[in-house]
């Protein structure tokens, strides 16, 4: 037996032993996964996560009434004049999707955030690949908030998405220079005023020709991404599209 075949046999043996000692389980409910499963989630959890609402706004990803056209926006966003082109999400921030995202954010479960990122990319691969993104940026946090949190969900999602797409993910280009109230604690009207000058890029930053995927865990009114996208366009970005795990309720 030559060396290559020997190494292959050893790798197969170690892999089989690892699967026996540590069987693959669903990243949400811990049910054991079958060898035929191609996902990080069991069939039941995957079915609930992929229960897409077909009537979604083409721009902001909010659920809208049936048979309504939304190529230029919907009831929630038609007056906003966003600086980003569109939002792609797995679904509404509720039920199992909300539970999974909270486990990732509050419980610092990196694996589940990565699994949801991969699922979103697989579910909307054609749309996301059509962007031809050459840069991925996470929504940043103020430095004081970074000190209080060991990790930020947007950074985890951005880094992993960059690996999957083989596109650079950068955390220093866009900065949050003002510490603001948490968006979820404010009314929609207050949210739109809360982040007016919160984001900045360095004066030396030149994003000419950049096609950017702007990443966050949850988007609600779109104000955070709007303020960030506006700053990126000021720095020369060609286009900005938003990649978020869920669309918040209460837009």
């Amino acid at each position: 037996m030559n060396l290559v075949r020997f190494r292959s046999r050893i790798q197969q043996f170690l892999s089989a032993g690892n699967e026996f000692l540590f069987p693959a389980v669903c990243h949400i409910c811990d049910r054991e996964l079958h060898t035929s499963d191609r996902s990080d989630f069991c069939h039941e959890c995957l079915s609930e996560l992929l229960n897409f609402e077909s009537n979604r706004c083409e721009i902001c990803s909010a659920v809208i009434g049936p048979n309504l056209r939304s190529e230029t926006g919907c009831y929630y966003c038609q007056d906003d004049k966003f600086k980003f082109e569109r939002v792609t999400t797995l679904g509404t921030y509720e039920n199992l999707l909300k539970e999974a995202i909270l486990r990732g954010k509050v419980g610092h479960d990196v694996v589940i955030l990565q699994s949801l990122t991969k699922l979103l990319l697989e579910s909307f691969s054609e749309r996301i690949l059509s962007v031809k993104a050459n840069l991925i940026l996470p929504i940043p946090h103020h430095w004081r908030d970074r000190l209080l949190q060991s990790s930020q969900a947007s950074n985890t999602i951005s880094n992993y998405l960059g690996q999957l797409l083989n596109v650079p993910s950068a955390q220093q280009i866009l900065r949050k220079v003002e510490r603001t109230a948490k968006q979820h604690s404010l009314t929609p009207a207050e949210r739109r005023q809360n982040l007016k000058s919160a984001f900045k890029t360095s004066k030396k930053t030149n994003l000419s020709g950049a096609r950017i995927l702007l990443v966050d865990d949850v988007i609600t009114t779109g104000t955070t991404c709007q303020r960030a996208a506006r700053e990126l366009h000021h720095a020369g970005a060609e286009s900005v599209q938003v990649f978020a795990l869920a669309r918040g309720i209460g837009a």
Side-chain angles (χ1 to χ4, degrees):
M1 182 182 297
N2 62 35
L3 183 59
V4 173
R5 291 178 61 190
F6 177 74
R7 285 178 176 173
S8 178
R9 291 286 180 86
I10 291 296
Q11 288 173 349
Q12 291 174 6
F13 174 77
L14 291 175
S15 177
N18 184 63
E19 290 178 2
F20 175 76
L21 293 173
F22 306 102
V25 296
C26 174
H27 290 179
I28 292 180
C29 69
D30 291 335
R31 289 193 187 97
E32 185 173 345
L33 297 177
H34 302 293
T35 54
S36 59
D37 291 327
R38 297 183 179 180
S39 170
D40 295 328
F41 307 105
C42 68
H43 177 72
E44 290 79 5
C45 290
L46 186 62
S47 296
E48 186 170 345
L49 289 172
L50 295 180
N51 185 26
F52 302 125
E53 304 95 333
S54 57
N55 50 322
R56 286 192 160 277
C57 175
E58 290 292 321
I59 305 299
C60 74
S61 192
V63 176
I64 58 176
N67 305 317
L68 292 179
R69 299 180 65 86
S70 61
E71 292 87 347
T72 58
C74 67
Y75 168 80
Y76 298 108
C77 71
Q78 60 187 356
D79 297 325
D80 284 318
K81 297 180 180 179
F82 289 132
K83 292 296 184 180
F84 53 81
E85 280 73 19
R86 76 191 308 181
V87 178
T88 300
T89 67
L90 268 174
T92 303
Y93 186 56
E94 60 184 0
N95 303 326
L96 189 64
L97 181 57
K98 180 177 181 179
E99 176 187 327
I101 292 173
L102 284 175
R103 187 186 301 181
K105 291 176 62 174
V106 181
H108 306 295
D109 189 334
V110 171
V111 173
I112 201 166
L113 290 175
Q114 291 177 334
S115 297
L116 291 171
T117 301
K118 181 181 177 183
L119 182 61
L120 177 54
L121 177 58
E122 291 174 344
S123 301
F124 295 95
S125 58
E126 184 176 347
R127 176 192 296 186
I128 295 168
L129 292 175
S130 70
V131 177
K132 297 182 179 179
N134 51 25
L135 184 61
I136 299 175
L137 300 179
I139 288 293
H141 298 261
H142 190 267
W143 66 268
R144 290 184 182 176
D145 294 323
R146 294 199 303 271
L147 288 177
L148 297 174
Q149 300 174 0
S150 60
S151 62
Q152 287 79 42
S154 59
N155 289 350
T156 299
I157 298 166
S158 176
N159 289 337
Y160 191 59
L161 182 62
Q163 294 176 31
L164 295 175
L165 293 175
N166 195 26
V167 172
S169 170
Q171 298 181 10
Q172 305 302 322
I173 290 177
L174 185 65
R175 297 174 297 118
K176 188 174 184 183
V177 296
E178 292 185 5
R179 195 181 190 199
T180 56
K182 299 297 183 183
Q183 287 289 87
H184 64 78
S185 67
L186 305 174
T187 66
E190 290 171 334
R191 290 173 186 173
R192 289 178 169 86
Q193 297 296 319
N194 187 43
L195 296 161
K196 273 193 170 181
S197 304
F199 300 107
K200 294 292 180 184
T201 57
S202 168
K203 293 182 179 179
K204 297 180 179 180
T205 299
N206 182 1
L207 296 177
S208 179
R211 299 180 298 277
I212 298 172
L213 278 177
L214 185 60
V215 171
D216 208 354
D217 51 333
V218 180
I219 178 172
T220 306
T221 62
T223 302
T224 300
C225 292
Q226 163 72 350
R227 302 299 187 193
R230 184 178 62 178
E231 184 64 23
L232 295 173
H233 277 293
H234 285 168
E238 178 181 318
S239 66
V240 179
Q241 295 209 21
V242 177
F243 180 103
L245 298 182
R247 177 62 157 88
I249 302 171

